[in-house]
Amino acid sequence: MLHGSAHIPRQWLLLVCVLFVLSAFPALAQARALRIVSPELGTCGSLKEGRPAGFCLELGDALARTAGMEPVNLFVPLARGVEEIHAGTADMIFMPQQADIVELAEDIGTVRPLTMVAWGRVETPLRTVRDLVGKTVAVVRGSRRELDLARSLKFIPFPCKNHELGFRMLLAGRVDAVLGSLHGLTGEVQRIGLRRRFLGDPLVLERNSLRAYVARRLPEAVRARLKKALARLVGDGTVARLRSRYPL
């Protein structure tokens, strides 16, 4: 009776082989998870009605799914986000370019232009960079770009957990300005309900960009797939629509 197995259709034998391979390697039978850090920074990511929301979270979801992956969002302060990439517990992060992330992750593209500013109280207007030389500015802990920018302009950086705390310190007179991206600071002002009459005009310090970084430990093919997916989202207008949904 053993010779009767020769009558089994070839396609059935192929199906059995495929099922065996998938049962032996479960990860192949489902979409690979992409662990995405969305920093807790203004419109990039914030809590709305107790739930994380924002430009970076929505873009991360769209990017992962376009690349055929399943998004897993990590909503944490920026400093911890860089640590997650370093520890291997996260695969992608959205942030401005800075030395410590470039060493860990590949830059796969720009997702939003950034204008870096210093924002002070209305009674102490900021007209030029010289107005802040030797004075204290709040920067987000973990943002190497904000720290380096403050030091290069001869400001005294005061690291804070986030921009909300920076603004609270500004109103309390403990710092002279808050340094960060204009869209991030504007989003934070709106989120915490800070009235604009307490603030002067933001002082522009430099033009920068928010970028997507993918951990270098991921296979090259996966990084290439994510880079292609981002280019597709830029090309079809998805990124622009998300920018308009979370305006400055």
Side-chain angles (χ1 to χ4, degrees), residues 38 44 53-63 73 238 242 245-246:
S38 294
C44 189
F55 173 78
C56 293
L57 283 114
E58 289 202 34
L59 178 57
D61 285 350
L63 182 54
N73 287 299
T238 298
L242 288 176
R245 189 178 301 168
Y246 297 97

Side-chain angles (χ1 to χ4, degrees), residues 42-43 46-48 112 119 163-164 167-168 182-196 199 245-248:
T43 54
S46 60
L47 291 175
K48 290 188 177 180
R112 186 170 203 156
W119 213 340
H163 289 137
E164 176 184 350
F167 276 115
R168 297 195 185 284
L182 180 59
H183 88 270
L185 297 185
T186 302
E188 201 61 47
V189 166
Q190 294 172 346
R191 190 184 72 81
I192 65 178
L194 179 59
R195 296 184 181 180
R196 285 293 305 273
L199 300 173
R245 189 178 301 168
Y246 297 97
L248 300 183

Side-chain angles (χ1 to χ4, degrees), residues 173-188:
R174 295 181 60 189
V175 299
D176 299 291
V178 181
L179 193 153
S181 71
L182 180 59
H183 88 270
L185 297 185
T186 302
E188 201 61 47

Side-chain angles (χ1 to χ4, degrees), residues 1-73:
M1 298 293 292
L2 292 176
H3 65 275
S5 60
H7 298 293
I8 298 176
R10 183 174 299 177
Q11 59 267 36
W12 284 104
L13 290 174
L14 180 60
L15 177 60
V16 170
C17 291
V18 170
L19 291 174
F20 174 78
V21 170
L22 292 179
S23 65
F25 302 98
L28 297 177
Q30 55 186 348
R32 176 173 184 159
L34 182 68
R35 299 165 298 180
I36 309 164
V37 171
S38 294
E40 187 181 348
L41 286 174
T43 54
C44 189
S46 60
L47 291 175
K48 290 188 177 180
E49 299 179 353
R51 300 184 62 182
F55 173 78
C56 293
L57 283 114
E58 289 202 34
L59 178 57
D61 285 350
L63 182 54
R65 294 194 170 106
T66 301
M69 305 176 78
E70 185 63 30
V72 177
N73 287 299

Side-chain angles (χ1 to χ4, degrees), residues 189-226:
V189 166
Q190 294 172 346
R191 190 184 72 81
I192 65 178
L194 179 59
R195 296 184 181 180
R196 285 293 305 273
R197 71 169 182 266
F198 296 128
L199 300 173
D201 293 327
L203 174 65
V204 175
L205 304 176
E206 73 166 14
R207 309 289 178 178
N208 204 325
S209 60
L210 186 69
R211 312 185 71 81
Y213 289 94
V214 178
R216 296 188 186 279
R217 68 178 172 279
L218 289 182
E220 185 177 352
V222 174
R223 284 183 275 136
R225 196 161 83 231
L226 287 165

